Amino acid sequence: MSTSAGPTPPRVTIDRHDPVHRRLEQLVPGLSASIGLTQRRFAPRVVRSRREIVHEGEAVAGIWTMRAGWAALVRHFADGRRQVQHLLLPGDPLPLERDAAYPATIVALTPVTLIDLDGTWLPDPALLDDALRRHTMATVHRLLDATARLGRQVAIERFAHLLLELRDRLRGVGLASDTHFKMPLTQEMLADTLGLTSVHVNRTLQMMRQQQLIELEGRAVTLLLPAELARMADYASPIDHPVAMH
């Protein structure tokens, strides 16, 4: 697993407002208390932007989980093209199964901080395995949504669906409201995620602004008409049960 150069970061604690705590509670209510999450101090790993976190086929021990930053499962092609297959957000575990080889390369899209939830301190490792199973099923559903986006939706529908998915996932870990969140993705990253060119991404974003569907200011996204976006994208209810940001 890749790490950044430099001094070792200090150990960190996790409180109930932390994305990791919120995500575990989404997956298995009561899990954080059962494993004593807030009583532990974790040694974080930091990966710089655009660096590989895990290479396809690599098996990494532990249950490394995103505490901060955005990453992605990606597929690289020989001619230099790249497809972002799935976005990883704060709170998301990396593995789909304990100690299994990763099915895709994971790249940090921004600086990423990871913590390992595994360890001898766990009273019952099966508790985290249950959370991983639920995380895996949620990931499968999102991969199916991504397949539908790329296969049957036009550009503006793809954008609407992706923005609503990101809103719901971030809201579940306290990083979004019903209409507002931060999205640190460049137009190049969005193009790789949505199967479009950067020019098409720019044109579609301008169209959505002109139609007063969204506002963009730096990294901040505001969904002006979320119900219309959901209708346009045929967006289904989220499979998780998000907790609204306070």
Side-chain angles (χ1 to χ4, degrees):
M1 178 175 290
S2 299
T3 59
S4 66
T8 302
R11 288 180 173 267
V12 298
T13 56
I14 304 297
D15 63 31
R16 63 187 183 89
H17 300 293
D18 193 284
V20 174
H21 187 285
R22 289 176 181 260
R23 182 63 177 140
L24 289 184
E25 289 302 298
Q26 271 191 326
L27 292 169
V28 179
L31 175 58
S32 296
S34 297
I35 65 177
L37 183 70
T38 59
Q39 281 75 53
R40 304 289 167 179
R41 290 175 63 82
F42 296 91
R45 291 181 181 267
V46 177
V47 182
R48 286 178 288 184
S49 178
R50 299 184 180 271
R51 295 294 182 92
E52 283 191 4
I53 300 174
V54 180
H55 191 73
E56 180 180 358
E58 180 182 359
V60 178
I63 301 177
W64 290 94
T65 302
M66 303 272 295
R67 189 178 186 228
W70 288 39
L73 278 67
V74 301
R75 176 65 56 86
H76 293 96
F77 295 88
D79 62 2
R81 290 177 298 166
R82 178 180 74 170
Q83 177 67 49
V84 171
Q85 298 169 309
H86 178 62
L87 293 168
L88 292 166
L89 307 180
D92 283 345
L94 299 190
L96 302 176
E97 184 180 357
R98 185 186 293 271
D99 298 328
Y102 283 76
T105 296
I106 301 179
V107 174
L109 300 180
T110 70
V112 164
T113 302
L114 303 159
I115 61 169
D116 185 6
L117 296 179
D118 210 359
T120 56
W121 53 272
L122 286 177
D124 183 2
L127 293 171
L128 271 180
D129 288 339
D130 187 28
L132 282 184
R133 281 191 293 271
R134 298 187 184 198
H135 166 64
T136 299
M137 288 307 302
T139 302
V140 168
H141 279 279
R142 291 187 180 112
L143 288 170
L144 291 173
D145 279 344
T147 300
R149 278 199 300 262
L150 293 173
R152 282 292 179 263
Q153 290 188 321
V154 299
I156 195 169
E157 294 168 341
R158 296 182 197 185
F159 258 105
H161 197 285
L162 178 64
L163 292 175
L164 289 167
E165 177 190 303
L166 293 175
R167 186 272 315 265
D168 286 338
R169 292 175 63 191
L170 291 167
R171 186 172 54 177
V173 293
L175 297 177
S177 69
D178 290 345
T179 59
H180 184 82
F181 59 93
K182 290 185 178 179
M183 183 178 67
L185 301 179
T186 65
Q187 291 192 6
E188 177 188 5
M189 293 171 185
L190 287 168
D192 290 341
T193 303
L194 295 171
L196 304 168
T197 64
S198 294
V199 171
H200 204 169
V201 165
N202 183 269
R203 185 182 303 127
T204 305
L205 287 174
Q206 293 298 332
M207 182 188 307
M208 296 179 80
R209 283 168 163 163
Q210 290 168 5
Q211 295 179 12
Q212 298 187 328
L213 294 169
I214 64 171
E215 283 184 355
L216 294 174
E217 185 174 348
R219 295 184 171 188
V221 179
T222 301
L223 308 181
L224 299 175
L225 296 173
E228 175 61 17
L229 291 170
R231 184 202 63 77
M232 178 186 301
D234 193 24
Y235 182 75
S237 299
I239 50 184
D240 296 322
H241 301 285
V243 179
M245 180 174 65
H246 300 292

